[in-house]
Amino acid sequence: MSMRLLETGIAAIQQGKREEGARFVRIALRNDELPPAVAAVAYLWLAETTDDVVQKRAYYNDALSADPANPDARERLKALLAAQSPQPAPPASTPEATSFFQTVNPPRPGNAPEDAIVRVIGGPNGPGTAFFVTQNGLLATTRYVIGGSERITIELRNRRQVLGVVMRSWPDIDLALVQIDEGISELPPIAPYARVPDAAVLIAVPAGGQPFRGKQRPTKRVMASHWIPTDFVRLPDAGGNPLFDEQNYLAGMLTRNTSRNSGYVYGVHIATIRRRVDQYLEETGTGERRAYCPACGYLSRATGNGYFFCEICGSVAPHARHLNRYPQPDPFPEAGRATCMHCGAQAGFHNGRCLRCGQTPPAQIPS
């Protein structure tokens, strides 16, 4: 199934239908059925669908993350970075540094806009930090920062406060996306490497506070590729601080997840954050009516269509908490409550896909 979608997407891209082709390729990648080498090729084709240098670099980074041995991805990334390298400028008087982005490492390959980092107020675990991941006001922070909130307050760099609406969250990687009605002209440049090098210097930036330095912590533990082990122990807020390397590339986001033995905290790699942002944009771009479930973070089809319960976690929808609820038919009855052979859930199926894991099992066992 995924291979057919990928082939359809590549054919569309070759015909010049870049948006249509990108949509098919993203769907193929979401299923996690593609071998790493094929997934890397898919990301290379996605890079051909955009002229945005930052987006293109992110796709090359994703390709190397999927298949570090892919020579084409490495060569294209190297050529892209070489084309972006700034030309030597004539000597000039250096202005007095007035912000973090000017003082941490002046000879930087890209400008990390300081207004891209904002403060989160009103969360259940105290103030936190968020940062822009799209220019139209989509922010990334941690699930720990927003908790089960549906709306929070965002304080911009100029101290102005705006309403933030929680759009999606993933408790498994401690990530949440928040939308505000404010845009930004420039996003922080994304790190070009597939993984943070061992012992690399990392700079965490809390909103409204002083940046603090740490390092990537080498570990012998086998862990998921989206985690960045660090030697940070204490955070100035509830988390969500963007992590920059010494060249001011955005490498990830600091969370409150800690090692059981040492107490060191972990970060989430920026490549993983970008993939989840793409997933969210894909979910909202289908035209389906969906609503955010604050209990599990899913964009629920059931509650988006007026039903009382989330089909993933079973929690009561926010709009139905104070209603006299009555029995309702199954919102997705075409497969009943069969058991998914892939994840074992009985959340039901929609368009042949499990509503919990999104996979298409080879067969379903009636419950």
Side-chain angles (χ1 to χ4, degrees), residues 100 103-106 200-206 210-216 230-234 243-248 254:
F100 158 68
T103 59
V104 168
N105 196 9
V201 173
L202 295 172
I203 304 158
V205 188
Q210 292 296 320
F212 51 102
R213 286 175 174 263
K215 290 184 178 180
Q216 191 271 5
T230 75
D231 62 358
F232 294 112
V233 178
R234 295 182 180 179
L243 285 172
F244 293 90
D245 62 14
E246 287 191 295
Q247 285 73 44
N248 273 5
L254 208 55

Side-chain angles (χ1 to χ4, degrees), residues 48-49 98 102 138 192 195 282 321 350 358:
E48 298 301 313
T49 65
T98 58
Q102 294 173 321
L138 190 64
R195 64 178 298 274
E282 186 72 27
R321 288 172 184 165
H350 180 59

Side-chain angles (χ1 to χ4, degrees), residues 62-133:
D62 289 338
L64 286 173
S65 180
D67 182 13
N70 188 298
D72 197 12
R74 195 175 301 279
E75 182 178 340
R76 294 189 189 191
L77 180 59
K78 182 178 179 181
L80 182 67
L81 293 176
Q84 287 185 275
S85 298
Q87 299 298 321
S93 58
T94 303
E96 182 179 355
T98 58
S99 70
F100 158 68
F101 298 104
Q102 294 173 321
T103 59
V104 168
N105 196 9
R108 59 191 185 278
N111 292 321
E114 53 192 8
D115 55 351
I117 303 172
V118 297
R119 188 176 181 84
V120 181
I121 302 174
N125 298 304
T129 299
F131 57 94
F132 282 81
V133 289

Side-chain angles (χ1 to χ4, degrees), residues 16-352:
K17 304 174 182 178
R18 300 204 301 179
E19 292 185 5
E20 178 183 345
R23 182 168 61 86
F24 279 109
V25 174
R26 289 195 189 100
I27 294 174
L29 286 167
R30 279 174 51 192
N31 295 334
D32 295 329
E33 297 174 356
L34 298 176
V38 178
V41 173
Y43 282 118
L44 290 178
W45 276 105
L46 276 179
E48 298 301 313
T49 65
T50 179
D51 297 322
D52 185 344
V53 175
V54 174
Q55 182 79 41
K56 195 179 287 284
R57 184 170 63 231
Y59 285 138
Y60 292 154
N61 183 22
D62 289 338
L64 286 173
S65 180
D67 182 13
N70 188 298
D72 197 12
R74 195 175 301 279
E75 182 178 340
R76 294 189 189 191
L77 180 59
K78 182 178 179 181
L80 182 67
L81 293 176
Q84 287 185 275
S85 298
Q87 299 298 321
S93 58
T94 303
E96 182 179 355
T98 58
S99 70
F100 158 68
F101 298 104
Q102 294 173 321
T103 59
V104 168
N105 196 9
R108 59 191 185 278
N111 292 321
E114 53 192 8
D115 55 351
I117 303 172
V118 297
R119 188 176 181 84
V120 181
I121 302 174
N125 298 304
T129 299
F131 57 94
F132 282 81
V133 289
T134 66
Q135 292 177 308
N136 64 353
L138 190 64
L139 310 175
T141 186
T142 67
R143 166 80 181 199
Y144 181 80
V145 168
I146 60 107
S149 303
E150 299 171 62
R151 289 174 173 78
I152 51 178
T153 301
I154 301 296
E155 183 178 270
L156 306 177
R157 184 171 176 270
N158 59 8
R159 302 290 184 180
R160 189 162 61 89
Q161 295 184 358
V162 297
L163 175 66
V165 179
V166 182
M167 306 302 293
R168 185 72 158 90
S169 66
W170 293 267
D172 58 324
I173 61 170
D174 200 13
L175 172 66
L177 300 179
V178 179
Q179 183 70 52
I180 62 174
D181 289 332
E182 297 287 334
I184 189 173
S185 60
E186 184 182 6
L187 296 173
I190 293 176
Y193 37 75
R195 64 178 298 274
V196 178
D198 288 345
V201 173
L202 295 172
I203 304 158
V205 188
Q210 292 296 320
F212 51 102
R213 286 175 174 263
K215 290 184 178 180
Q216 191 271 5
R217 178 172 53 86
T219 177
K220 296 181 180 179
R221 289 185 57 192
V222 177
M223 62 179 62
S225 60
H226 56 258
W227 293 119
I228 304 174
T230 75
D231 62 358
F232 294 112
V233 178
R234 295 182 180 179
L235 303 185
D237 57 16
N241 320 113
L243 285 172
F244 293 90
D245 62 14
E246 287 191 295
Q247 285 73 44
N248 273 5
Y249 280 125
L250 180 60
M253 176 182 68
L254 208 55
T255 75
R256 280 279 185 170
N257 294 279
T258 61
S259 169
R260 294 179 180 178
N261 300 324
S262 63
Y264 292 123
V265 300
Y266 289 92
V268 180
H269 200 288
I270 187 61
T272 299
I273 296 174
R274 286 202 62 88
R275 282 195 290 269
R276 297 301 173 98
V277 170
D278 286 342
Q279 177 186 342
Y280 162 74
L281 295 176
E282 186 72 27
E283 290 172 347
T284 56
T286 61
E288 290 184 292
R289 298 179 63 181
R290 292 171 175 249
Y292 174 68
C293 174
C296 67
Y298 185 70
L299 281 179
S300 169
R301 298 184 183 96
T303 59
N305 285 277
Y307 290 87
F308 296 154
F309 300 94
C310 172
E311 71 271 24
I312 298 299
C313 67
S315 63
V316 178
H319 73 268
R321 288 172 184 165
H322 304 293
L323 298 179
N324 292 323
R325 297 185 291 276
Y326 50 84
Q328 292 180 309
D330 190 334
F332 305 108
E334 67 267 27
R337 286 301 181 189
T339 300
C340 174
M341 293 293 291
H342 184 80
C343 68
Q346 293 183 327
F349 295 82
H350 180 59
N351 291 337

